Each structure stands twice: as structure tokens, then as C-alpha cells.
Amino acid sequence: GLGTLTRTLSEQLGNKLLCSSPAETIIRDAAKFIVRAKGREWTAQSVICAAPPPAATTLLSGLLPGAVNIFDSIRMSPVALVHWSQKATDFPPGFGFLMPRLYPLRVLGTLFPSELFPNRVPEGFTLLASFYGGMTDPKALEMSDAELAGILLREHREIFQRKMEPPPMLKILRYPGAIPQLLPDHPEKIAALLCQAKNIPGLFLAGNYLTGVGLEHAVTSGYHCAKACLKFLAEPA
């Protein structure tokens, strides 16, 4: 899973990686950037900001005041992610399903991680991951764990047409701003944002809000950003 990627990256970075120290602001002093976090400061020739739009607004408001309105205009979809299991293995094979909005069900879709990847569950169990919320149902995040679990079981009994027991394992994660919404005017917004960023030598932006929300878009964004940053650092001062 994705944990393997982040764990490998952290192992390679070693003590260069600093966790639990969220950046609070980024300013520029002459040709250097100053990053401030929890009373500490770091200086750098270049900075890559890979934060989502709400956090980028706070971090870059001093550097890119004209970009604040752009970041604030990128709407973020709220999502409740429910990891749950069933003591059964006869679920339909495959990736999972997306639920069209024409049906009177609140679930956005459900994935079958144990069908996709090995060693996800003990023998005899199935692991599922269901999504609730979205732009059309933001109040799903306000439900208690018990309420969300109740809706989850009721809807999946209907979807699968089978008896389902309370999940032996249930973990709910709530993300108020999970997925950036790339509306029709999004390319113009990003073009204006990147144009402003180019006026700050050494500042680079990365993230899935730039060109697409998929993992491949996020990774590609990181590669492009790293390449541009390395090119900048290699240039004579």
C-alpha cells in the first residue's frame, strides 16, 4: 500500500526528515526563504510547497498575496472514509464499485482492498473501504461513528443482497477537505497561480490540485517540481 512508499522515503531521508513540525509561514529575505514552524526557523535557496490549497493559503499569503483568492476558490470535497471488515470471502471479485447518484443511497463507492492486495486480512475475512460525503452530502462527516456504521451496514445489505454482521473491524477517518474540485475554470486559475509563482525565483508548487486529483497526477506533479527545483539550484547565483 501507500504506507510502503512513505516508509521507504522516510528511511532514505533519515534524520533529514522532520515530522510533527507543521510549517506556519514562509517568507523571503533577500535571496533566501525563511520557513517558520513552532518557534523554529530554516533558511533555504528554494522551497517546494506541496500543501493542499487551504494550507497553501496560510503558508504563501506573504509571498503570493495575489494567489490567496485563487487558493480559496478551489473547493475541497469532504469525505468520510470507512475501513471495515466482514467474516466472509464470497464477495464479488474486482476493484469495487462506484454508486451513481440516481440511487437513493449515500455511499459514494466501496473498494475491496483484500481483493486487490495480498496480506490485508486474516484468512476467512474480507476488507472493504467505503466513502461517504462529497460535495452533495457534506453532513455525512457530522454523523457519529455509530450512525455512519448503521448506514453503512443497511446500505451494503441492500447492495449485496445478503446478511451482513456488524464489522469485526471498523475505522472511520474524516477529511473535511479531501478532494480538490477541478471545475471548468480550473485551468485558468492554475495558469494564473503558476504565473505568480514564477515571479518568486526558487518557489515551486506541487500537488494534486494542479492538474488532476489522481495519485498519478500527484506523483507526476512531484517529479516535475523536483526537476524544476534541481535545475534552479544548479544555475549560477
Side-chain angles (χ1 to χ4, degrees), residues 103-117:
Y103 293 101
L105 299 171
R106 297 180 73 170
V107 65
L108 299 174
T110 294
L111 304 180
F112 306 151
S114 54
E115 282 284 330
L116 300 172
F117 307 107

Side-chain angles (χ1 to χ4, degrees), residues 27-84:
I27 63 173
R28 189 168 174 82
D29 182 13
K32 298 285 186 179
F33 293 94
I34 299 175
V35 180
R36 292 174 177 159
K38 288 189 175 182
R40 301 179 65 180
E41 288 188 356
W42 295 267
T43 61
Q45 292 177 266
S46 180
V47 166
I48 294 175
C49 182
T57 298
T58 301
L59 291 171
L60 300 177
S61 59
L63 285 174
L64 298 174
V68 170
N69 289 338
I70 298 176
F71 282 126
D72 288 343
S73 70
I74 299 175
R75 301 179 68 187
M76 304 292 288
S77 173
V79 170
L81 171 58
V82 186
H83 296 285
W84 57 294

Side-chain angles (χ1 to χ4, degrees), residues 29 50 99 101 152 157:
D29 182 13
M99 182 55 61
R101 293 298 87 195
L152 175 100
R157 285 168 181 154

Side-chain angles (χ1 to χ4, degrees), residues 175-192:
Y175 300 97
I179 305 173
Q181 303 299 290
L182 278 56
L183 302 178
D185 62 345
H186 192 78
E188 289 77 15
K189 290 181 181 178
I190 297 305

Side-chain angles (χ1 to χ4, degrees), residues 19-208:
C19 298
S20 301
S21 297
E24 296 170 346
T25 185
I26 303 171
I27 63 173
R28 189 168 174 82
D29 182 13
K32 298 285 186 179
F33 293 94
I34 299 175
V35 180
R36 292 174 177 159
K38 288 189 175 182
R40 301 179 65 180
E41 288 188 356
W42 295 267
T43 61
Q45 292 177 266
S46 180
V47 166
I48 294 175
C49 182
T57 298
T58 301
L59 291 171
L60 300 177
S61 59
L63 285 174
L64 298 174
V68 170
N69 289 338
I70 298 176
F71 282 126
D72 288 343
S73 70
I74 299 175
R75 301 179 68 187
M76 304 292 288
S77 173
V79 170
L81 171 58
V82 186
H83 296 285
W84 57 294
S85 64
Q86 285 289 289
K87 192 175 182 180
T89 58
D90 56 342
F91 284 86
F95 181 86
F97 65 84
L98 297 176
M99 182 55 61
R101 293 298 87 195
L102 59 92
Y103 293 101
L105 299 171
R106 297 180 73 170
V107 65
L108 299 174
T110 294
L111 304 180
F112 306 151
S114 54
E115 282 284 330
L116 300 172
F117 307 107
N119 305 318
R120 287 297 186 273
V121 289
E123 187 175 351
F125 287 82
T126 293
L127 177 65
L128 305 102
S130 298
F131 298 82
Y132 283 84
M135 298 301 291
T136 60
D137 189 16
K139 290 190 178 297
L141 271 69
E142 300 175 9
M143 291 189 290
S144 68
D145 286 2
E147 290 173 319
L148 199 48
I151 290 175
L152 175 100
L153 273 180
R154 184 169 65 251
E155 292 192 339
H156 285 79
R157 285 168 181 154
E158 181 178 348
I159 292 167
F160 291 116
Q161 290 294 296
R162 61 183 291 168
K163 181 180 179 181
M164 303 186 78
E165 301 295 335
M169 188 283 296
L170 178 77
K171 183 176 183 180
I172 299 175
L173 303 173
R174 293 175 173 82
Y175 300 97
I179 305 173
Q181 303 299 290
L182 278 56
L183 302 178
D185 62 345
H186 192 78
E188 289 77 15
K189 290 181 181 178
I190 297 305
L193 178 63
L194 295 178
C195 183
Q196 292 187 41
K198 284 183 179 179
N199 293 325
I200 310 292
L203 175 65
F204 301 95
L205 305 179
N208 69 344

